[in-house]
Amino acid sequence: MMPKSHPRYESLLTRDKIVEGVRQGITGIQGLIAQGRGEAFDYLIGEKTTPGALHAEKVAAAMLLLAKMPVISVNGNVAALVPEEIIRLSEAVNAPLEVNLFYRTEERVNAIIRHLRSKGAKSMCIKSDALIPGIEHKRAKVDSGGIFIADAVLVPLEDGDRCRALVDMGKTVIAIDLNPLSRTAQRAHVTIVDNVVRAIPNITGFAEVFGKSEKDELQKLVEEFDNKKNLTEAIDNISKHL
Ligand code: PTJ
């Protein structure tokens, strides 16, 4: 057991959750590498939510609430790190969860669906009867009533190709990625440069408060957001830590 007094306690706890996810067959073995990459960037941003990331989280909440058909994409890392939190967000913004994997196997898709259901997920898109155009078959599989027709998709830890393909389909894409230089980060409409373990509860918090807001107020937030500026600030922030 890691003592709570350890200066990087939270980070090490997160690492253990990914390892456990791999043991349970939820997280892909490659998820360990992704986590390590994320840890390095998290270290550089100070392992806390920056003001810029918090603002992007606020805008993401507004976007999801304004969307007609928002969907939250879930992969093996997200399922291991924030299962309860992603379910709560799904309820707060009325967006179903859809398992969409980079290293897709049917066993892992089903294991994640079972895992989320065991944690109380009710609204899930579980078919894989449609394909996102322009990407290789297995990774392209989505639900024809879910991501395929969604107008806004939240993609935590996405790969760049699929992010681009979703943008090309005309969807609004919100990405969570600790690496502001990644292709996903650069292609999304809103990029949250924060750890998914902090980002998801923050978005939910905003969504729960915004529930009673006027649509115009949320629309204004969305319209005033500039992702280029957001990414430049995130890169500048990392440079300051070097
Ligand atoms: O479960 P699957 O098969 O869908 O696979 C999921 C992973 C994440 C393994 C897969 O999509 C992958 O290989 O992703 P990449 O290309 O390694 O990209 C992951 C990105 O997420 C990198 O830019 C990391 O910096 C970032 N990242 C890693 N952990 C976190 C993170 N961003 C936010 N929070 C994290 N905890």
Side-chain angles (χ1 to χ4, degrees):
M1 260 300 260
M2 189 56 53
K4 274 199 164 165
S5 56
H6 192 287
R8 303 195 53 255
Y9 176 76
E10 289 298 334
S11 171
L12 294 169
L13 209 66
T14 305
R15 184 184 288 185
D16 286 347
K17 284 187 187 165
I18 289 285
V19 171
E20 190 49 34
V22 174
R23 278 204 194 105
Q24 290 179 0
I26 291 165
T27 309
I29 192 89
Q30 299 88 346
L32 297 170
I33 299 169
Q35 172 66 19
R37 199 135 63 105
E39 277 182 15
F41 281 102
D42 207 9
Y43 193 82
L44 290 172
I45 68 168
E47 292 177 332
K48 57 180 190 304
T49 303
T50 63
L54 194 66
H55 184 66
E57 285 155 2
K58 195 175 188 178
V59 172
M63 270 185 170
L64 290 169
L65 285 169
L66 287 170
K68 286 196 180 67
M69 170 69 194
V71 174
I72 300 172
S73 181
V74 179
N75 64 17
N77 286 48
V78 170
L81 292 178
V82 282
E84 283 99 354
E85 294 84 349
I86 206 97
I87 294 167
R88 187 161 164 201
L89 175 61
S90 148
E91 287 166 0
V93 297
N94 203 11
L97 301 172
E98 180 169 338
V99 179
N100 188 226
L101 302 184
F102 184 74
Y103 299 103
R104 184 183 176 100
T105 66
E106 297 313 311
E107 292 75 26
R108 204 148 62 79
V109 171
N110 291 326
I112 296 173
I113 292 171
R114 280 198 304 275
H115 180 61
L116 292 171
R117 284 200 169 134
S118 77
K119 302 273 178 192
K122 290 189 186 67
S123 180
M124 293 190 73
C125 298
I126 59 164
K127 289 186 290 170
S128 46
D129 56 347
L131 294 176
I132 304 171
I135 43 178
E136 167 261 318
H137 186 78
K138 255 176 144 188
R139 287 194 292 139
K141 282 189 179 184
V142 285
D143 188 322
S144 59
I147 288 179
F148 194 73
I149 55 158
D151 57 344
V153 191
L154 174 68
V155 289
L157 284 74
E158 184 65 6
D159 82 281
D161 288 353
R162 203 163 40 199
C163 178
R164 192 211 58 227
L166 293 173
V167 170
D168 288 349
M169 283 176 88
K171 301 176 192 307
T172 298
V173 178
I174 304 162
I176 303 174
D177 194 330
L178 277 160
N179 176 5
L181 299 166
S182 77
R183 286 178 309 141
T184 298
Q186 297 287 331
R187 282 174 177 153
H189 294 102
V190 175
T191 308
I192 297 168
V193 184
D194 200 3
N195 198 314
V196 81
V197 302
R198 297 187 298 267
I200 298 293
N202 285 346
I203 304 171
T204 308
F206 283 119
E208 287 174 351
V209 172
F210 282 163
K212 296 173 202 80
S213 301
E214 292 295 325
K215 277 200 165 178
D216 293 359
E217 275 176 56
L218 302 185
Q219 197 70 51
K220 191 163 177 276
L221 252 179
V222 170
E223 277 163 16
E224 285 174 359
F225 182 75
D226 179 347
N227 205 36
K228 272 215 173 90
K229 187 165 162 265
N230 169 45
L231 287 168
T232 304
E233 280 172 13
I235 295 164
D236 285 351
N237 176 56
I238 289 178
S239 314
K240 276 188 216 134
H241 280 86
L242 294 175

